[in-house]
Amino acid sequence: MELETKELNWAGNLEYRASELLYPTSIEQLQEQVRAASKVRVLGSRHSFNDIADTSETMIPLAKMPQVIDIDAQAMNVRVSGGITYGALADALHAAGFALHNLASLPHISVAGAVSTGTHGSGEAHGNLATAVSAVELVLADGSQLSVNRNDPEFNGFVVSLGALGVITHLTLDIVPSFDVQQTVYEQLSWDKVLDNFDGIQASAYSVSLFTDWSGDLVGQTWLKRRVGDALLDDIDQGKFGGLAAIAPMHPLPGADGAICSEQLGVAGPWSDRLSHFRMDFMPSAGDELQTEYLVPREYAVQAITAMRELSSVITPLLLVAEVRTIAADELWLSGNYGRDGIALHFTWKPQQQEVETILPHVESALAPFAARPHWGKLFAATSTDLQKLYPNFNDFIELAQRLDPAGKFRNEFLNRNLFGA
């Protein structure tokens, strides 16, 4: 259908330029639509803050495609349709006695979109969400179907693929037995003590998030998600790092309602209700915000955090909140954690895009000594010349994309700017 109204991303900072939206209801219809298009991009849950999904021609949301959640208890995996959200998948898995290894902050995001951009949760032992993928099914530029799994020598190029290879119709994900989590939030831990004991902090829970505005001597909030039954350090509980446990539900944004966040105060409950920061039945945060994130090698964690604190006079005035998390290494070619354990420095900005884009080069310059890689779905200043140096398999991915899509049907301005250098 031709666009008659504005189509915006979730944050409202981007108006999509597509000349038509097509809503396939079957694989066959999707194949025909892709085959007939000259340029096409897939629109997921709209939680990207840049133009990664944008196009001036055909845009295909997968919202009306059949939803698939096929659990194989013997193989310990689940095959899902790409457009399904993590919230819906988590509920179905938990009801059947299974779990994913991790979830991102928002359960509202689509599985295919999150996987394709290297989105992650937190926890030093856990890779990003894409590391659970064991098979990928796509519709290619000529309308044909392709399925690849971990036995394919190029599999690691197919997972975090930015929509450059084809339309992801289904993914197969590893699953684990379901487990319960207790979440506790601590306020006002000492930055000096946290940085002196960074490894101890990260080892103290299944998932750890530090929320800050980068100013002052205290961490704003520290969120610990502990798997029930794990034997974990209790240094934070004993006050070793300063601060106190919150006595009411907290929200990462100062002054926002903690009731829309996943349950806290140490109350045990399913992983599906605790590993994300926000509840599926509420829209998270304020919506009217911008986001940026950089992935830094774990060995530079203290130096990178210190660099951001030293840049507080530039960052803090435009900031709603920042978050620090850890992620385990992987072998996915375009993953922010390819080949290295890392930390994520996440920035939730006030909705002042011009001002934010002005300071991003300063942030990236401060993080450049640490080989920081930007999150593909958020705002950043780097282009293909900068990014090529950060990914050992960058050119391998370019060759894969050019072989599968020689005419560039799936390319858009974002891909040309950040991958193909056009």
Side-chain angles (χ1 to χ4, degrees):
M1 68 176 184
E2 293 186 1
L3 297 185
E4 297 179 356
T5 59
K6 292 182 179 180
E7 294 289 336
L8 305 175
N9 66 343
W10 170 75
N13 71 302
L14 178 71
E15 180 181 346
Y16 296 112
R17 300 175 299 117
S19 59
E20 63 174 355
L21 280 176
L22 302 178
Y23 286 87
T25 58
S26 68
I27 292 292
E28 295 75 19
Q29 190 175 30
L30 171 63
Q31 290 177 278
E32 182 55 38
Q33 291 171 352
V34 170
R35 187 181 299 115
S38 57
K39 291 284 186 181
V40 63
R41 294 294 286 171
V42 174
L43 183 63
S45 49
R46 307 184 188 218
H47 275 83
S48 292
F49 294 82
N50 57 35
D51 56 346
I52 188 170
D54 198 21
T55 179
S56 61
E57 299 189 34
T58 301
M59 182 174 281
I60 299 181
L62 301 180
K64 296 183 180 180
M65 291 283 286
Q67 290 201 344
V68 175
I69 302 178
D70 289 336
I71 300 171
D72 187 332
Q74 184 172 357
M76 289 299 288
N77 63 40
V78 59
R79 178 176 178 266
V80 302
S81 46
I84 202 165
T85 65
Y86 272 97
L89 175 57
D91 285 346
L93 285 175
H94 174 66
F98 299 103
L100 298 170
H101 78 287
N102 216 342
L103 292 172
S105 297
L106 307 180
H108 311 74
I109 57 179
S110 68
V111 174
V115 163
S116 295
T117 54
T119 297
H120 58 87
S122 184
E124 62 179 6
H126 317 306
N128 66 34
L129 302 182
T131 60
V133 177
S134 62
V136 180
E137 299 170 45
L138 307 102
V139 168
L140 301 181
D142 62 1
S144 64
Q145 296 185 72
L146 176 67
S147 179
V148 294
N149 59 40
R150 287 184 178 138
N151 295 322
D152 190 298
E154 294 182 311
F155 176 75
N156 288 329
F158 278 88
V159 185
V160 182
S161 60
L162 314 184
L165 307 182
V167 179
I168 296 176
T169 59
H170 298 86
L171 293 162
T172 302
L173 311 174
D174 298 333
I175 57 177
V176 298
S178 189
F179 56 94
D180 285 345
V181 173
Q182 294 172 291
Q183 180 169 228
T184 306
V185 176
Y186 291 82
E187 298 183 85
Q188 308 303 312
L189 271 66
S190 160
W191 262 124
D192 286 343
K193 292 181 178 179
V194 166
L195 294 182
D196 285 345
N197 299 273
F198 189 78
D199 289 343
I201 290 282
Q202 299 307 319
S204 66
Y206 190 88
S207 168
V208 178
S209 291
L210 307 175
F211 289 99
T212 179
D213 68 359
W214 296 119
S215 70
D217 297 325
L218 302 176
V219 180
Q221 298 176 27
T222 301
W223 290 38
L224 303 183
K225 303 173 192 283
R226 289 173 165 166
R227 186 167 60 179
V228 173
D230 282 355
L232 294 170
L233 304 176
D234 60 359
D235 290 339
I236 292 181
D237 303 323
Q238 295 174 358
K240 180 176 179 179
F241 306 113
L244 295 170
I247 60 174
M250 302 295 292
H251 190 292
L253 297 180
D257 186 2
I260 73 170
C261 296
S262 51
E263 190 162 358
Q264 303 163 25
L265 307 179
V267 178
W271 66 279
S272 54
D273 292 336
R274 298 292 189 278
L275 290 183
S276 288
H277 292 333
F278 299 98
R279 292 168 54 182
M280 185 66 182
D281 52 345
F282 284 91
M283 281 304 293
S285 302
D288 196 14
E289 64 187 38
L290 305 172
Q291 292 185 12
T292 294
E293 186 173 63
Y294 298 99
L295 290 304
V296 175
R298 173 70 178 264
E299 63 192 280
Y300 299 127
V302 173
Q303 296 98 310
I305 290 170
T306 300
M308 294 300 93
R309 294 181 68 203
E310 292 174 348
L311 206 59
S312 172
S313 62
V314 174
I315 297 173
T316 303
L318 288 172
L319 197 64
L320 290 172
V321 73
E323 182 180 9
V324 180
R325 291 179 282 179
T326 54
I327 310 99
D330 60 64
E331 296 302 319
L332 307 175
W333 293 354
L334 292 187
S335 166
N337 288 98
Y338 174 87
R340 66 194 200 190
D341 293 329
I343 66 164
L345 303 174
H346 183 276
F347 304 80
T348 299
W349 305 105
K350 297 174 183 177
Q352 300 171 225
Q353 187 152 345
Q354 183 175 349
E355 292 87 345
V356 169
E357 290 180 343
T358 297
I359 70 168
L360 288 182
H362 299 285
V363 175
E364 294 180 16
S365 177
L367 293 176
F370 316 120
R373 298 167 177 162
H375 187 294
W376 294 107
K378 305 181 190 296
L379 298 178
F380 58 90
T383 60
S384 60
T385 302
D386 310 299
L387 297 170
Q388 184 179 26
K389 305 169 186 176
L390 297 173
Y391 296 89
N393 293 99
F394 191 92
N395 290 334
D396 295 323
F397 183 84
I398 298 298
E399 292 174 6
L400 176 63
Q402 290 175 334
R403 188 170 75 247
L404 293 182
D405 182 21
K409 179 176 289 191
F410 295 111
R411 293 183 207 170
N412 63 354
E413 291 181 7
F414 175 92
L415 294 178
N416 286 334
R417 183 172 68 244
N418 296 301
L419 284 184
F420 297 97

